[in-house]
Amino acid sequence: PEPRLPYTLTPYEMVEKKPLLTVEEAAYCLNLSRRTVYDYIDIGKLNVLKENPKRVSSRDVRRLMENFVFEQ
């Protein structure tokens, strides 16, 4: 696979400019692994709005960014 280029937008810029985010973009914005984003989808913390590839609402991601509490 080709190496991925770093994002040119900050997480806050990304959620402001893009209505839908890929799982990878959501992981970047939330500073989580892709697996954790899929787990969030499975438990209902994030809603899938589009399939193939899965896309989640940037509004949901923004809400999680603003309300993030470090869990131990």
Side-chain angles (χ1 to χ4, degrees):
E2 292 183 33
R4 297 182 193 263
L5 298 174
Y7 292 111
T8 57
L9 299 174
T10 68
Y12 283 100
E13 290 171 335
M14 190 173 285
V15 296
E16 287 299 316
K17 293 183 180 197
K18 298 181 76 171
L20 298 176
L21 301 173
T22 64
V23 168
E24 186 170 276
E25 290 168 337
Y28 163 71
C29 290
L30 295 166
N31 197 31
L32 298 171
S33 69
R34 289 185 314 199
R35 177 71 256 159
T36 301
V37 172
Y38 282 112
D39 290 343
Y40 279 18
I41 290 168
D42 290 343
I43 64 172
K45 279 189 174 183
L46 288 170
N47 295 311
V48 173
L49 300 179
K50 188 175 180 187
E51 296 281 346
N52 297 326
K54 286 188 187 299
R55 306 235 184 225
V56 297
S57 165
S58 61
R59 194 175 285 180
D60 288 349
V61 172
R62 177 72 182 239
R63 178 182 43 81
L64 287 174
M65 289 168 67
E66 291 172 350
N67 297 321
F68 189 82
V69 176
F70 185 76
E71 297 176 14
Q72 295 187 18

